[in-house]
Amino acid sequence: KLTQRYLFKDWSLSGPAIFSGGLQANNRILNRSASVGVQDVMTQSGNIDLNGKFEILGSKHNLLVGVDGFHATTEAPSANGSAATIDIYNPVYEQVNFAALSTYNRFFYRKEAWVGAYVQDQITLFDKLHILLGGRYDNVTTGAIASTASLDAAKAARVEREDNAFSPRAGILYQVQDWLSIYGSYTKSFSANNGVSVGGTSFEPQIGKQYEIGLKTESRDKRFSSTLAFFHLTKSNLLTDDPNEANPDYQILAGKIRSKGIELDLAGQITDQLHLLGTYAYTQVNYVQSFSGLRGNRLENVPEHQGSLWGTWQLNDVFKVGLGAVAVGSRPCDTANTCSLPGYARMDAMAAYSPRIGLHKLTLQLNINNLLDKDYYANTSGGRHTSIPGSPLSVLGSLKYEF
């Protein structure tokens, strides 16, 4: 089987923006800066995959070979300046004079090109032993810089960085009994750090390593299943917002993190009509090496505890309803762990109507997110001043026709 994909995207974003400059000593007045500009982004990506299944000497193989590529440029001229402070307990809005920012004084340019080749083979022996072997080779060139002269000056001053890496992956699963399987896996990952520092220097790429072991169970009638996983992951050369810069475009190296924990998934067809799915994750994520005193701190936006419970009820052959809850514990809102986002629980619901039209199927579905219109913070982009509220009650309708 040969599969080829290509995606081209060209978009622009323009308008004003306000950045936090930190609270003054009274913890009441917030310093701010303002920006007006445009961001033009053009991306191209594609891949070609060759997939084949065959048998050799009693072993079954599912082989995948492919290449992929990605190319992107960002051009972002902007006018930047100071903005009126604001009292966070008695805010008066519309006090920022964006019209005064009429001349571009900052020109940001980023270019990235990525080419990868990969191979993977899923091997089955004796119908009980499953082995996965694979790897990919990546070549990536990156470079981003900001100039106060012009966009052409930024392009000329940009220093290109080239990185290459081979990332292997391996896994094994053994079916001990018809209802019980044990597995283990190892994965190495590679990701370019195409951020920009105040001085324009480039960053070393991110390297990740993950080990995982676990158990999978399934009842003989296949109505109930579960997965219990223990994982240990490290990732080096993480970036974070530069604490000395209000503009979030500027970053610094934060260091290396270690993530370890447990994940549990339970799924069951309780009755012919009722299906339940429950998940739970306990995660410890800490900086184990740092370049700015972060060692031992927790990673921002990652809770220690989170879980969900979702149930669907098949009322008849064509009508189904669902109700679920997501619970997320408290998590740090910055790398220094000076603040935290409170935990929250959110409820979602759905209803679907799926009649058959001859040999075809039509599905009308309605999803309601945040059913009780809960106020909560979803995440932060680097500190308590950039906490992002969760979406309010929202309704999404969809129509799908299968033929």
Side-chain angles (χ1 to χ4, degrees):
K1 180 181 178 181
L2 185 66
T3 305
Q4 190 275 328
R5 303 178 183 89
Y6 175 76
L7 172 67
F8 174 80
K9 184 187 294 186
D10 186 5
W11 60 272
S12 296
L13 175 66
S14 61
I18 299 178
F19 301 107
S20 164
L23 282 172
Q24 296 182 5
N26 59 11
N27 280 331
R28 184 184 185 104
I29 303 302
L30 180 68
N31 297 321
R32 301 187 297 172
S33 61
S35 175
V36 174
V38 61
Q39 185 177 21
D40 293 318
V41 181
M42 182 182 294
T43 63
Q44 298 181 73
S45 61
N47 71 289
I48 300 176
D49 290 345
L50 179 63
N51 180 228
K53 298 180 181 181
F54 54 91
E55 296 186 18
I56 296 179
L57 301 177
S59 62
K60 300 178 182 178
H61 296 257
N62 187 350
L63 182 65
L64 171 69
V65 180
V67 295
D68 57 17
F70 174 81
H71 183 276
T73 58
T74 300
E75 299 179 0
S78 60
N80 302 271
S82 60
T85 60
I86 193 169
D87 186 336
I88 63 174
Y89 295 106
N90 186 25
V92 179
Y93 299 107
E94 299 182 6
Q95 300 300 307
V96 178
N97 184 12
F98 289 106
L101 302 174
S102 58
T103 303
Y104 288 153
N105 56 16
R106 183 178 183 273
F107 302 87
F108 178 79
Y109 179 69
R110 172 187 283 131
K111 181 179 178 181
E112 179 177 356
W114 194 308
V115 177
Y118 44 90
V119 60
Q120 175 181 286
D121 192 11
Q122 294 175 275
I123 307 168
T124 300
L125 299 171
F126 318 115
D127 293 327
K128 289 183 175 291
L129 180 62
H130 305 270
I131 301 171
L132 184 145
L133 298 173
R136 65 173 290 138
Y137 178 80
D138 291 289
N139 173 268
V140 58
T141 56
T142 58
I145 194 170
S147 170
T148 58
S150 66
L151 188 59
D152 288 337
K155 292 180 179 181
R158 171 182 171 270
V159 177
E160 192 167 83
R161 176 190 178 93
E162 182 176 2
D163 291 292
N164 302 275
F166 175 73
S167 304
R169 62 180 307 198
I172 185 170
L173 182 145
Y174 181 68
Q175 191 172 356
V176 181
Q177 300 289 338
D178 291 342
W179 58 274
L180 175 65
S181 299
I182 58 175
Y183 74 92
S185 66
Y186 166 77
T187 304
K188 185 176 180 181
S189 64
F190 166 83
S191 178
N193 267 334
N194 200 13
V196 60
S197 65
V198 174
T201 57
S202 57
F203 300 105
E204 294 285 332
Q206 290 185 21
I207 302 295
K209 295 180 181 180
Q210 177 173 311
Y211 302 87
E212 183 175 326
I213 59 174
L215 303 172
K216 294 178 180 289
T217 67
E218 185 177 54
S219 63
R220 295 183 184 276
D221 58 6
K222 300 186 183 300
R223 292 172 67 94
F224 299 92
S225 63
S226 67
T227 300
L228 177 64
F230 303 85
F231 62 89
H232 183 283
L233 182 150
T234 58
K235 183 174 286 188
S236 58
N237 295 327
L238 264 74
L239 297 183
T240 189
D241 292 341
D242 191 331
N244 299 316
E245 295 291 330
N247 194 315
D249 285 338
Y250 292 117
Q251 296 179 301
I252 60 172
L253 277 176
K256 179 180 180 180
I257 63 165
R258 178 188 63 209
S259 175
K260 58 182 180 179
I262 302 172
E263 292 182 350
L264 175 64
D265 297 337
L266 300 171
Q269 191 70 42
I270 309 302
T271 69
D272 290 341
Q273 293 79 32
L274 178 63
H275 182 271
L276 293 179
L277 172 64
T279 67
Y280 169 75
Y282 171 73
T283 310
Q284 285 186 339
V285 188
N286 300 91
Y287 286 94
V288 292
Q289 293 178 3
S290 68
F291 301 100
S292 53
L294 301 177
R295 185 173 181 178
N297 289 2
R298 291 172 57 193
L299 186 68
E300 66 271 25
N301 291 318
V302 181
E304 284 191 336
H305 302 276
Q306 60 181 322
S308 65
L309 179 62
W310 180 258
T312 57
W313 183 269
Q314 191 74 44
L315 298 176
N316 51 46
D317 292 340
V318 298
F319 193 64
K320 179 171 68 174
V321 295
L323 183 68
V326 176
V328 178
S330 63
R331 56 268 186 229
C333 69
D334 62 2
T335 55
N337 292 181
T338 61
C339 57
S340 63
L341 301 179
Y344 66 90
R346 186 196 74 230
M347 292 190 66
D348 303 324
M350 62 80 65
Y353 177 66
S354 305
R356 299 201 69 87
I357 302 176
L359 298 177
H360 310 310
K361 184 178 181 181
L362 176 69
T363 300
L364 299 168
Q365 184 163 321
L366 192 70
N367 287 79
I368 305 176
N369 298 318
N370 199 0
L371 179 66
L372 303 181
D373 203 19
K374 172 77 173 180
D375 292 330
Y376 67 95
Y377 289 108
N379 53 51
T380 174
S381 60
R384 57 178 175 165
H385 308 308
T386 56
S387 299
I388 301 173
S391 299
L393 184 150
S394 60
V395 179
L396 175 66
S398 62
L399 172 65
K400 182 171 67 174
Y401 183 65
E402 300 173 71
F403 55 90

